Amino acid sequence: MRRRYTQDQSYDLYVLHRDVGLAAQQGVSSPEDLVRIASVILDGLGCATADEAWNRLCADFRAGARGTPSSGRQAAIILKMMHYLGFAGRLSDEDARIELCEEVLRHGQPEWQADAVLFSASRGMHLGMGNPAALQTELDIVERARGTASGDTPELDLVRAFLRLHLGLFGGEDDFDAAIEELNALRGTRAARAETDHLLDAVIAFLRMQQASRREDEGALGARMVELDTALDASPLNGPVRLRMESWRELAWETLQGLRAARGEGRDTEGERCLRSADSVRDQARALPAYVRLSVLCETGVARLLRAVATDDPAGAREALSLLGEGIELLEPDDWRWTPYAYQLGWGHFWIAERDGLGEGHQPGWFDLGIDWLTRAVRASEQCEHPMWADMSFTLALALWARGEMFPRGPSGRADLDAARRAGMDAVTGAVRSVLLQSGTPHAAESARWVGQRALTVAGWCLGADAPTDAVRALEAGRGLTLHAATVWTSVPEMLDALGEQGQALAGEWRTAGDVLPGTPWSAALAAASAGPAGPAVPSSRLRRRALEALKVSPYWKRMLDVPTPDRIGSALRTMGRTALVYLLPKTEKHPGAALVITPDGGVRAVRLPVLDLAAPELVAYRRTGSPERDAESSVPPPYDPGALGRLCDWAGQAVIEPLLRALPGPQGQEPSLVLVPMAELGAVPWHAARLPGSGRYACQEANISYIPSARLLCEVAERPATGMRQALVVGDPERNLPHAGEEADAILEKFYPGGELLGPGAATPAAVQGWLGRQRGGMLHLACHGAVEEGGRYSSYLRLADERRLSAEALTEGSARYPGLELVVLAACRSNVSGHGWDEAYSMATAFLVAGARSVVGSLWPVPDDATSLLMYMTHHYLNQEGQTPGAALRSAQSWVLDPTPVLPPDMPDAMKGRVPQLRESGLVGWAGFTHLGW
């Protein structure tokens, strides 16, 4: 018979444990069963609430003897009871749980440890979901239990995987991706049998849908939805589990429709499933315990809010917000879920306010509610530590701006606009931390995906307020963050070394790219998810988080997040002899296009460019055309509508270059020398080939034009001393399918670098090239080969070298190797200055070489013809060596030579090349305009 005690009576812990076991034998298959078992503990202890019972158990444990097998067993029993008590109410003494775990791990029998830690983790995971440090503590405890267990530990492995998933939610996408692979490996184990198999299948499908959404991979998202539908159809599960799975399906479906809409496609009505009514969801959720009910209500509310916004259904949005609001009311104030759900609630109110604002007589009430919820969510997110902080802050900025514009004469009209700029700037600059946290280029680029667009929005607000310096700060904070992260992390070990003993220990881990916790499945999963089997070893996001925490209180923190001031940019321009750095900003819904100009004296001003529009027909038509890679079969590949590139260049001259050159004359008697930073898809335009109205001359015939991913990188490159080209490596036709590239390599080496090295088929491997890079001190590297870009791929940009091997941009930036003294890299390969991670990230082979240490780089914007490229490259080296020009000037001279109707042939040019010069004009713009210069 179950014993009943009062608070002032003693109790027998072992007898109470037996009673709990008897109650569990009656069934533990529903939340109601868990609450029933918890009532056995409450009755046995004479307590009215779960917290009273928990505190009594913990106090009695602390008062007893410690450090014995008996105390280890008692700790294990109390942790088991804690598992049930947690379902009956809130437990306040969290420190006691950790103490109990320590006692079990140090003094308990091995056969108790795994079960005790599992019971603890079921509670600790819930508490730690909003705190990376707490999650790491839970993970350490689970790992210690795994280390003492004999044989396989699938239950602990399952808990470990979920802990890492939640760590991934705090910015560590390598943790998130690898944990999914580990969960998948657990299918069919003791931890995932029979009745839970369907649930695990659904969870994995949902998590992979989140991956696909993050990567904007519509195909993968659709495939994962099929898996979730299969799990739903096969699942015998009902009640809260099915309700949550249905809400996951709704959320994924709306995300998929959003990706379709971004491509200009309509909604797919065939794949929609019948939804439960909101009242039906409420009715089923009403019978559930509060902690389960709030999840069902909130998840369903969020999914239906997305649907309502996508279908322009304000009534549906209000219904969704009512479900979400009811769920939020059930949340404890410090529950980690409060922040993201409050954010969704605020965003929903903001959407309704902005939509209804189109009508007459609208009042700001819904705006006020939305901004209030958004403000509370931002404050609760504890600044940049929360992974959603930047997103929430930017949404708050949008809401403030919209209210300020809609009610300019309201009590907070002007203040709203000022607050919007501040919040928007904070959101853009705060996103840097999330990018720095990522362990590999793909994850960093995913984190930075939207920052460039947000920076453009904030810059437009700043220009509208006549604050061009703030606009520069916004643009620079959101530009090339993946490259910035690669640059910063190279010097992290030295920064940590300067912080004393603790920092030196972290630096040691960093140098060995450690921090991968024990366990073969995890190690393999992490390798597959982050670096790839053949990729460079990179520190994990958990090690990066620890390094960021250590550096945050150091003098180096400002350097980590540094955005160069106009004065510093001006100094770099003076050092490099440039006339101006120019950001090209496309037109937005609210603001005209503009050129934001920084001059050598640190001055900042804007030049209006009203027709600089991403929707310009010439740009849209050009970007829709495709093309093959550098082609050995045809001297003039037909990559475009024959007139598309020409029309683009005409538009570029009329819309941008002509007014820009008029506004930026060069110094007395000199041509202007401009460094361009084209924002968004403007990076696809060959601005140096813009054709000026009237004269018909090209921009490169009137000015020196170079490019740079960001002012950050400009300032760094400006500090690199000239080393000259004392050593040379030329790579030519490594795959034996570019005959003119091989001819080009032979001629360049023989005529201009007779003491250099030549690598051709069989010898031109990535290892050979990187080995030379490591040895050179004053080098020139010329690569005449195929180049490729794979958007969003693990290796997004690479050169194809001998034996089908690849030299990737990631291999240059993710490791610790850098190449000082590298004077010039010439990438005579297709698309070698095109990013596979979006234009604002500007992460390409060319920019990767800049980060890796090159002082100057030449790269291409499109697939280039083999024969025309070989002539252009030969002439570039001719002007570089025979006339002593800088790399940028030499490329410009070579392009002008191509444009000359009667070009003068250098006497040392090989006869075979001379014979092909008359065909040059047939290649037109395709043959010369694709090549760009970056750096000095």
Side-chain angles (χ1 to χ4, degrees):
M1 178 180 292
R2 195 169 83 196
R3 286 167 170 74
R4 295 175 182 273
Y5 297 90
T6 60
Q7 279 276 23
D8 58 353
Q9 290 179 307
S10 62
Y11 61 94
D12 187 319
L13 182 64
Y14 297 105
V15 172
L16 182 58
H17 179 232
R18 184 201 65 189
D19 291 343
V20 169
L22 291 172
Q25 289 177 13
Q26 299 174 29
V28 190
S29 60
S30 70
E32 292 79 5
D33 288 333
L34 296 167
V35 174
R36 171 178 53 78
I37 297 170
S39 69
V40 173
I41 304 171
L42 296 179
D43 289 346
L45 294 174
C47 295
T49 68
D51 199 38
E52 286 180 15
W54 171 244
N55 287 332
R56 184 175 186 187
L57 288 168
C58 295
D60 292 345
F61 173 77
R62 285 167 169 158
R66 308 282 284 275
T68 67
S70 177
S71 65
R73 185 182 180 193
Q74 290 170 16
I77 290 172
I78 296 171
L79 285 171
K80 183 176 182 179
M81 293 184 182
M82 175 215 64
H83 170 69
Y84 298 116
L85 289 172
F87 286 90
R90 183 177 176 79
L91 308 182
S92 59
D93 192 346
E94 173 62 13
D95 291 340
R97 183 178 64 82
I98 304 300
E99 291 177 34
L100 291 165
C101 285
E102 289 291 336
E103 194 73 14
V104 173
L105 289 172
R106 291 176 181 173
H107 306 292
Q109 294 295 324
E111 60 266 25
W112 303 339
Q113 292 174 352
D115 285 344
V117 167
L118 281 172
F119 285 123
S120 172
S122 69
R123 170 75 178 161
M125 250 194 312
H126 172 70
L127 293 173
M129 284 177 181
N131 185 332
L135 284 166
Q136 187 63 58
T137 298
E138 297 295 335
L139 193 54
D140 293 341
I141 290 172
V142 170
E143 288 293 344
R144 288 168 61 191
R146 289 180 73 254
T148 62
S150 58
D152 294 335
T153 57
E155 291 88 356
L156 285 173
D157 291 343
L158 188 63
V159 170
R160 181 179 66 170
F162 276 108
L163 284 167
R164 286 170 170 153
L165 279 171
H166 287 295
L167 271 172
L169 294 176
F170 280 80
E173 292 173 3
D174 56 348
D175 273 313
F176 189 88
D177 291 350
I180 293 174
E181 298 309 312
E182 196 167 47
L183 281 175
N184 191 52
L186 290 170
R187 280 173 162 160
T189 65
R190 285 188 298 120
R193 291 180 312 187
E195 67 275 3
T196 59
D197 268 344
H198 294 299
L199 177 58
L200 187 56
D201 288 345
V203 168
I204 292 171
F206 177 63
L207 294 171
R208 285 182 167 167
M209 286 189 292
Q210 288 183 287
Q211 280 182 317
S213 299
R214 188 182 75 209
R215 297 166 183 167
E216 296 188 337
D217 187 338
E218 186 178 334
L221 182 56
R224 301 293 82 80
M225 283 201 64
V226 172
E227 293 176 6
L228 182 59
D229 285 344
T230 301
L232 268 169
D233 293 339
S235 173
L237 299 169
N238 289 305
V241 174
R242 177 167 285 279
L243 283 171
R244 295 190 69 184
M245 289 168 68
E246 288 175 354
S247 70
W248 298 347
R249 208 271 181 190
E250 287 187 54
L251 184 62
W253 179 256
E254 292 310 319
T255 303
L256 183 61
Q257 301 317 302
L259 294 178
R260 287 175 58 87
R263 290 193 296 104
E265 299 285 337
R267 286 181 68 84
D268 177 10
T269 57
E270 293 184 6
E272 290 194 79
R273 288 195 167 196
C274 294
L275 303 179
R276 299 175 190 265
S277 68
D279 287 339
S280 172
V281 172
R282 286 190 180 93
D283 289 343
Q284 291 213 23
R286 194 170 290 120
L288 304 174
Y291 73 95
V292 180
R293 185 163 71 252
L294 71 89
S295 294
V296 169
L297 293 172
C298 289
E299 288 170 359
T300 305
V302 169
R304 297 194 179 184
L305 178 59
L306 291 179
R307 174 184 291 270
V309 171
T311 57
D312 192 29
D313 178 10
R318 290 183 175 90
E319 184 177 68
L321 291 176
S322 70
L323 287 170
L324 189 54
E326 290 170 28
I328 287 177
E329 287 180 0
L330 300 172
L331 281 167
E332 297 287 349
D334 58 349
D335 192 300
W336 72 278
R337 292 169 293 182
W338 188 92
T339 297
Y341 289 144
Y343 164 64
Q344 295 288 349
L345 196 64
W347 173 69
H349 280 89
F350 163 44
W351 180 79
I352 290 174
E354 195 170 37
R355 183 201 181 277
D356 287 354
L358 300 175
E360 296 182 1
H362 176 66
Q363 298 299 314
W366 281 80
F367 266 122
D368 296 344
L369 282 170
I371 289 171
D372 178 61
W373 277 106
L374 289 170
T375 301
R376 292 166 63 190
V378 169
R379 288 174 179 168
S381 66
E382 298 178 356
Q383 299 299 314
C384 303
E385 300 302 320
H386 195 287
M388 290 180 63
W389 181 84
D391 289 334
M392 292 188 291
S393 294
F394 190 72
T395 304
L396 174 60
L398 290 173
L400 289 164
W401 187 267
R403 186 173 70 177
E405 283 204 316
M406 195 168 292
F407 305 102
R409 298 180 182 177
S412 60
R414 186 71 232 174
D416 276 346
L417 299 179
D418 292 340
R421 286 196 301 276
R422 290 194 299 271
M425 189 74 74
D426 288 345
V428 172
T429 56
V432 176
R433 185 183 185 277
S434 177
V435 177
L436 290 175
L437 191 62
Q438 304 310 319
S439 64
T441 299
H443 289 149
E446 287 163 12
S447 292
R449 186 183 303 277
W450 299 109
V451 184
Q453 294 182 20
R454 292 171 178 175
L456 273 173
T457 298
V458 177
W461 293 346
C462 294
L463 289 177
D466 196 24
T469 299
D470 288 343
V472 171
R473 181 183 164 211
L475 292 172
E476 193 56 32
R479 177 79 183 176
L481 295 184
T482 305
L483 292 167
H484 174 58
T487 302
V488 164
W489 285 126
T490 304
S491 55
V492 159
E494 289 71 27
M495 296 182 199
L496 292 171
D497 279 335
L499 301 184
E501 185 176 343
Q502 184 178 5
Q504 290 164 8
L506 272 175
E509 290 185 61
W510 190 278
R511 289 187 173 97
T512 57
D515 198 46
V516 177
L517 296 176
T520 301
W522 168 253
S523 301
L526 181 61
S530 57
V538 293
S540 73
S541 61
R542 279 174 283 121
L543 179 54
R544 290 170 189 262
R545 183 181 290 110
R546 290 163 58 205
L548 286 176
E549 290 300 317
L551 292 167
K552 191 173 181 180
V553 293
S554 77
Y556 300 107
W557 184 246
K558 183 177 179 181
R559 175 180 171 186
M560 302 280 285
L561 306 181
D562 181 38
V563 174
T565 64
D567 284 343
R568 186 180 168 202
I569 298 169
S571 176
L573 292 170
R574 292 195 301 274
T575 298
M576 299 175 77
R578 301 290 195 261
T579 305
L581 177 77
V582 183
Y583 294 93
L584 297 179
L585 282 64
K587 175 184 177 182
T588 66
E589 183 181 352
K590 302 287 186 181
H591 303 284
L596 193 58
V597 178
I598 300 96
T599 51
D601 60 0
V604 182
R605 64 189 176 101
V607 177
R608 287 175 56 87
L609 301 171
V611 294
L612 181 54
D613 189 349
L614 295 179
E618 297 85 353
L619 179 57
V620 172
Y622 169 74
R623 294 200 64 224
R624 283 179 178 167
T625 60
S627 56
E629 296 182 357
R630 179 169 176 166
D631 191 353
E633 303 301 326
S634 171
S635 62
V636 184
Y640 311 104
D641 164 6
L645 181 58
R647 290 191 294 273
L648 177 73
C649 292
D650 288 340
W651 169 80
Q654 180 266 330
V656 175
I657 297 299
E658 193 275 333
L660 191 61
L661 292 180
R662 191 168 59 245
L664 295 173
Q668 287 186 349
Q670 299 180 36
E671 295 171 321
S673 180
L674 308 180
V675 184
L676 301 185
V677 186
M679 302 297 293
E681 289 86 345
L682 297 179
V685 179
W687 297 102
H688 58 283
R691 194 152 37 211
L692 301 175
S695 69
R697 287 169 63 81
Y698 292 96
C700 64
Q701 296 174 301
E702 302 292 337
N704 289 298
I705 295 179
S706 293
Y707 301 83
I708 201 73
S710 66
R712 277 192 183 107
L713 198 51
L714 177 82
C715 293
E716 182 181 338
V717 171
E719 296 173 357
R720 295 175 186 169
T723 58
M725 295 181 291
R726 301 189 297 270
Q727 299 160 281
L729 175 65
V730 180
V731 173
D733 189 23
E735 296 182 295
R736 293 189 175 92
N737 55 9
L738 292 172
H740 295 307
E743 178 187 75
E744 164 192 327
D746 290 338
I748 287 172
L749 186 73
E750 178 185 350
K751 300 299 182 182
F752 306 117
Y753 309 99
E757 300 177 44
L758 177 68
L759 293 178
T765 64
V769 172
Q770 288 180 278
W772 179 87
L773 286 169
R775 296 190 302 272
Q776 62 77 38
R777 288 298 181 270
M780 188 291 301
L781 173 63
H782 182 100
L783 293 133
C785 57
H786 284 292
V789 175
E790 294 182 3
E791 292 190 11
R794 173 64 186 93
Y795 301 106
S796 61
S797 181
Y798 56 85
L799 302 174
R800 287 161 42 188
L801 299 181
D803 301 328
E804 299 183 353
R805 299 180 188 179
R806 300 174 176 181
L807 175 61
S808 70
E810 288 78 5
L812 297 170
T813 64
E814 288 182 355
S816 59
R818 293 296 183 265
Y819 307 113
L822 185 57
E823 184 72 16
L824 171 63
V825 176
V826 180
L827 300 173
C830 299
R831 305 183 73 197
S832 50
N833 192 26
V834 174
S835 173
H837 292 296
W839 291 105
D840 282 324
E841 278 311 286
Y843 187 90
S844 66
M845 283 303 303
T847 60
F849 268 109
L850 275 185
V851 167
R855 197 164 181 259
S856 197
V857 180
V858 171
S860 66
L861 290 176
W862 55 67
V864 290
D866 188 34
D867 58 349
T869 296
S870 64
L871 292 168
L872 182 71
M873 293 298 100
Y874 183 91
M875 293 306 300
T876 298
H877 285 281
H878 167 80
Y879 287 112
L880 188 66
N881 289 274
Q882 302 301 329
E883 300 194 14
Q885 295 183 6
T886 63
L891 175 64
R892 180 193 179 204
S893 294
Q895 290 171 327
S896 297
W897 179 84
V898 171
L899 290 169
D900 191 333
T902 56
V904 176
L905 304 185
D908 56 0
M909 178 181 279
D911 291 340
M913 283 188 164
K914 289 179 180 178
R916 290 190 285 109
V917 170
Q919 303 170 17
L920 256 182
R921 299 189 67 79
E922 296 178 17
S923 66
L925 285 164
V926 175
W928 67 268
F931 282 96
T932 59
H933 169 258
L934 302 90
W936 275 84

